[in-house]
């Protein structure tokens, strides 16, 4: 009941503001724009990122900038319902969308076009990843000085074994699984055939999607689309000649190109700006209003597993600390408003101990509320172990999934110490007492213990996955040994349940909780200060007594090395 007077007061103020602005909006009705401009930049989050209510100082945000995919979708639905609106202008600037978010953005654009509206896109420069967004428009424009860096995709595998040897560091690892290539980053002097084959598989899938997009959007055959990619990059003139864009227009001339006229244009000003969505709302007598609700919306909890999995607690983003994630899961379970949980996994794995801690915590929450795991980039090794505790696993089509395997080892830096003039003597009691010593490698007895522990860990991993996926250990073993899959191939292999986007997962989770998925809010648990990535932490995580990890650090493949939280 304490909420009632505050809700009534808030709605009264909203209504008063709406009423006071009505005369001005009525006067502006005749100036309602027929075209609306949006600026797409960066890696758009699914939902608006939390921020300060009042911003003092700092760089101002360009008014047309889209804050999130949710905001953009809401705006497009409003414009699609207005018969006076002809279309939208999309300005692309440094757009760096992950695959799943690009697919979600393309769906929003396609739905708007299906409502009979036009989409015109414009940019100064786009790369291979952003071109499908530019090309999805009904009319594609480029600045006369612009570029289309359409060149295809490249993957670069890295190994450090020889470099480490030159400075006196030697990596000693045992692994279970021929496809568990993570230790190769530290041990090998050349890229293995398995690494190369895995990279080529992902490149083939991604390249096929690009070819299909160009062929569909630009009216080309697949062979012509591949020829266009091979002829890149393009200057603006060559892009126009090749049919990758439909026209070259300066930014100041975009309004005139769309047929807009400025009624208050100064005599010395020949620019006709394209209105923003905020300007459009100012011409609506009764614009969409978010009234405060007496009863709060049902809540969906989102818990991130983002970064290399490590024991203990700490920041988010680069490292997923077990204690932090477990605490967040417990908070989500206790929260009475949270009806379901989405476990947002963006992790290549890490410590076996920490991964199993997370798995047990996920299982406990899943006994109380529906838990759905979702991956839009990487859900590998220990990250996949955490995900299998959920009721279902959803994946973006081209995310990295799997890498069921294990490795364990240490770094020997005795030669480096010798070069530096550092001398040490190790005295032990017990044959394996210096198992973790970095001053020397493994003795035969220690190596046998290492191999035994790695095998035991691998069998445990197989058992846990088999139980979760309703399969036998033998069946999982045929899919495991460190093999990695795209989301689509993981679905065919039975390692994930569904292919979809973040918003679809959220709605499905609420449906599973028997709560309306039409209107709910998302609350993130465990999002804290971000920890910095350091080589020391990376090496320590990779050499943890037992590690379930897929080493994205060794891949330069469309940003798969990034493990940003899903937001």
């Amino acid at each position: 009941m304490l909420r009632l007077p505050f809700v009534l007061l808030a709605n009264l103020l909203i209504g008063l503001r709406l009423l006071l602005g009505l005369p001005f909006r009525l006067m502006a009705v005749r100036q309602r724009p027929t075209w609306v401009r949006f600026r797409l930049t960066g890696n758009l989050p699914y939902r608006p990122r939390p921020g300060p209510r009042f911003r003092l100082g700092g760089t101002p945000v360009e008014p047309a900038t889209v804050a999130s995919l949710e905001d953009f979708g809401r705006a497009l639905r409003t414009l699609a319902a207005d018969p006076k609106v002809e279309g939208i202008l999309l300005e692309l600037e440094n757009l760096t969308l992950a695959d799943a978010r690009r697919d979600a953005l393309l769906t929003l654009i396609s739905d708007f076009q299906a409502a009979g509206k036009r989409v015109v896109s414009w940019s100064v420069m786009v790369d291979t990843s952003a071109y499908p967004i530019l090309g999805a428009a009904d009319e594609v424009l480029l600045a006369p000085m612009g570029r289309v860096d359409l060149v295809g995709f490249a993957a670069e595998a890295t190994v450090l074994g020889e470099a480490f040897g030159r400075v006196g560091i030697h990596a000693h690892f045992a692994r279970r699984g021929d496809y568990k290539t993570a230790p190769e980053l530290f041990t090998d002097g050349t890229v293995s055939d398995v690494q190369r084959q895995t990279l080529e598989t992902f490149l083939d899938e991604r390249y096929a999607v690009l070819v299909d997009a160009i062929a569909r959007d630009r009216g080309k055959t697949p062979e012509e689309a591949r020829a266009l990619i091979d002829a890149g990059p393009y200057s603006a003139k060559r892009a126009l000649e090749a049919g990758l864009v439909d026209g070259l227009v300066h930014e100041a001339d975009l309004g005139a190109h769309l047929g807009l006229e400025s009624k208050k244009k100064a005599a010395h000003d020949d620019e006709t700006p394209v209105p923003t969505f905020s300007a459009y709302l100012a011409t609506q007598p009764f614009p969409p209003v978010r009234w405060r609700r007496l009863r709060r919306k049902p809540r969906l909890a989102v818990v991130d597993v983002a970064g290399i999995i490590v024991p203990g607690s700490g920041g988010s983003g680069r490292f997923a600390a077990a204690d932090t994630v477990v605490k967040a899961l417990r908070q989500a379970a206790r929260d009475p408003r949270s009806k379901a949980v989405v476990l947002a996994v963006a992790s290549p794995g890490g410590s076996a101990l920490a991964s199993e801690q997370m798995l047990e915590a996920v299982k406990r929450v899943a006994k109380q509320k529906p838990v759905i795991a979702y991956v839009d980039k990487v859900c590998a090794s220990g990250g996949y172990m955490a995900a299998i505790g959920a009721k279902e696993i959803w994946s973006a089509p081209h995310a990295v999934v799997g890498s069921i395997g294990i490795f364990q080892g240490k770094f020997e830096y005795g030669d480096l110490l010798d070069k530096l003039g550092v001398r040490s003597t190790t005295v032990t009691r017990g044959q394996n007492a210096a198992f973790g010593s970095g001053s020397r490698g493994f003795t035969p007895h220690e190596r046998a213990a290492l191999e035994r522990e790695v095998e035991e860990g691998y069998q445990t991993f197989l058992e846990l996955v088999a139980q979760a996926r309703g399969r036998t250990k033998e069946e999982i073993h045929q899919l495991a040994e460190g093999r990695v899959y795209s989301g689509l191939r993981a679905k065919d292999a039975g390692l994930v349940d569904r292919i979809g986007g973040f918003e679809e997962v959220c709605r499905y989770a609420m449906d599973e909780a028997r709560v309306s998925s039409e209107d709910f809010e998302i609350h993130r648990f465990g999002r804290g200060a971000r920890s910095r990535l350091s080589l020391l932490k990376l090496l320590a995580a990779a050499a943890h007594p037992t590690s379930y990890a897929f080493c994205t650090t060794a891949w330069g493949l469309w940003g798969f090395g990034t493990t940003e939280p899903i937001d």
Side-chain angles (χ1 to χ4, degrees):
M1 295 300 294
L2 292 177
R3 178 178 170 81
L4 178 60
F6 293 101
V7 171
L8 293 177
L9 178 60
N11 285 335
L12 179 61
L13 293 175
I14 292 173
L16 183 61
R17 180 182 177 184
L18 191 65
L19 184 62
L20 292 176
L22 179 59
F24 300 98
R25 293 193 301 275
L26 287 174
M27 289 188 291
V29 165
R30 293 186 178 181
Q31 282 76 47
R32 185 169 38 167
T34 56
W35 286 86
V36 177
R37 176 170 63 97
F38 293 94
R39 177 174 174 265
L40 303 176
T41 184
N43 189 17
L44 291 173
Y46 292 106
R47 297 281 180 119
R49 293 188 175 103
R53 291 181 177 272
F54 303 99
R55 184 185 299 272
L56 298 177
T59 304
V61 178
E62 210 278 335
T65 302
V66 175
S68 70
L69 292 173
E70 181 190 40
D71 289 342
F72 186 53
R74 186 183 298 111
L76 291 188
R77 288 189 289 274
T78 299
L79 296 174
D82 188 342
K84 188 175 180 180
V85 172
E86 296 179 25
I88 60 172
L89 170 68
L90 296 180
E91 296 184 2
L92 278 63
E93 181 180 339
N94 298 322
L95 193 62
T96 56
L97 288 178
D99 288 351
R101 303 183 198 201
R102 187 187 64 248
D103 293 343
L105 178 58
L106 287 171
T107 297
L108 294 176
I109 294 172
S110 177
D111 290 344
F112 184 74
Q113 292 170 316
K117 305 297 185 180
R118 284 179 53 79
V119 176
V120 175
S121 62
W122 177 87
S123 184
V124 174
M125 184 176 70
V126 291
D127 60 11
T128 299
S129 180
Y131 181 76
I133 301 295
L134 189 79
D138 299 291
E139 184 178 11
V140 180
L141 305 176
L142 192 69
M145 77 294 290
R147 288 181 59 82
V148 176
D149 286 338
L150 179 66
V151 293
F153 300 104
E156 189 171 286
T158 301
V159 289
L160 304 174
E162 184 176 341
F164 276 13
R166 289 182 180 180
V167 298
I169 298 176
H170 306 284
H172 301 279
F173 286 92
R175 66 182 183 183
R176 188 63 172 87
D178 293 338
Y179 294 82
K180 194 67 177 179
T181 58
E184 293 178 6
L185 171 65
F186 310 111
T187 60
D188 288 18
T190 59
V191 176
S192 67
D193 289 339
V194 171
Q195 279 259 42
R196 181 183 297 275
Q197 292 167 8
T198 303
L199 288 171
E200 288 180 347
T201 299
F202 277 91
L203 282 175
D204 288 342
E205 289 188 9
R206 186 70 186 281
Y207 183 70
V209 172
L210 177 64
V211 169
D212 288 344
I214 295 173
R216 178 184 64 251
D217 296 333
R218 305 311 297 168
K220 307 289 186 181
T221 66
E223 292 74 20
E224 290 172 332
R226 283 189 283 269
L228 285 172
I229 297 170
D230 291 340
Y234 294 86
S235 65
K237 181 180 179 181
R238 288 189 61 237
L240 180 63
E241 292 172 349
L244 289 172
V245 300
D246 300 307
L248 305 181
V249 181
H250 286 287
E251 183 176 10
D253 299 329
L254 287 171
H257 180 84
L258 296 175
L260 305 181
E261 294 181 359
S262 177
K263 295 184 178 181
K264 297 182 180 181
K265 182 167 51 179
H268 63 278
D269 185 8
D270 59 355
E271 179 178 348
T272 304
V274 182
T276 65
F277 186 64
S278 297
Y280 168 83
L281 291 178
T283 67
Q284 301 298 298
F286 300 99
V289 177
R290 297 187 185 182
W291 299 99
R292 298 295 183 267
R293 298 161 55 111
L294 178 58
R295 177 175 295 180
R296 292 177 176 176
K297 296 180 181 179
R299 176 184 283 176
L300 172 68
V302 175
V303 176
D304 292 301
V305 180
I308 299 172
I309 296 174
V310 295
S313 59
S316 62
R318 298 295 188 181
F319 292 92
D323 292 349
T324 300
V325 174
V326 170
K327 182 180 179 181
L329 286 166
R330 289 172 179 170
Q331 290 174 337
R334 290 194 300 264
D335 181 26
R337 287 185 57 199
S338 296
K339 307 303 180 184
V341 180
V342 168
L343 188 75
V345 183
S347 173
S351 161
L353 172 63
S355 301
E356 292 189 47
Q357 279 183 272
M358 293 181 186
L359 171 60
E360 289 304 309
V362 173
K363 287 181 176 179
R364 288 198 300 270
V365 178
K367 292 178 180 178
Q368 305 174 49
K369 302 176 180 181
V371 179
I372 309 297
Y374 178 65
V375 51
D376 70 349
K377 296 176 197 147
V378 181
C379 177
S381 208
Y384 184 74
M385 173 173 282
I388 61 177
K391 181 178 180 180
E392 290 188 16
I393 302 175
W394 287 51
S395 173
H398 304 291
V400 175
V401 180
S403 191
I404 302 170
I406 185 171
F407 69 93
Q408 181 179 352
K410 68 178 181 180
F411 294 96
E412 175 198 348
Y413 46 85
D415 289 348
L416 175 60
L417 294 179
D418 286 341
K419 291 180 181 180
L420 298 175
V422 178
R423 302 291 183 267
S424 66
T425 299
T426 303
V427 181
T428 65
R429 293 295 182 272
Q431 292 192 57
N432 293 338
F435 184 87
S437 173
S439 62
R440 62 167 176 77
F442 292 110
T443 66
H445 190 273
E446 290 170 343
R447 187 75 189 186
L450 174 68
E451 297 283 355
R452 183 173 60 249
E453 189 169 354
V454 168
E455 180 62 27
E456 182 180 352
Y458 181 65
Q459 295 302 322
T460 298
F461 203 164
L462 292 180
E463 289 175 3
L464 292 171
V465 176
Q467 292 171 6
R469 304 304 299 171
R471 311 279 284 276
T472 66
K473 279 181 59 176
E474 291 71 23
E475 289 174 328
I476 297 300
H477 172 67
Q478 296 302 315
L479 303 171
E481 293 197 279
R483 293 177 176 85
V484 292
Y485 303 83
S486 67
L488 290 170
R489 287 185 287 119
K491 169 67 168 58
D492 292 339
L495 295 179
V496 302
D497 299 288
R498 300 173 192 252
I499 301 297
F502 180 71
E503 294 295 338
E504 293 175 83
V505 173
C506 292
R507 290 193 295 270
Y508 179 80
M510 296 303 282
D511 287 338
E512 287 294 294
R514 293 182 172 83
V515 176
S516 173
S517 60
E518 296 301 318
D519 193 15
F520 62 92
E521 65 181 38
I522 288 178
H523 183 80
R524 310 190 82 93
F525 289 87
R527 178 70 66 86
R530 296 171 58 79
S531 58
R532 294 183 178 180
L533 180 66
S534 69
L535 180 60
L536 181 61
K537 284 186 176 181
L538 180 61
L539 296 180
H544 195 266
T546 310
S547 294
Y548 298 143
F550 164 72
C551 201
T552 56
T553 309
W555 280 24
L557 181 63
W558 333 302
F560 278 156
T562 62
T563 50
E564 299 294 326
I566 300 174
D567 57 6

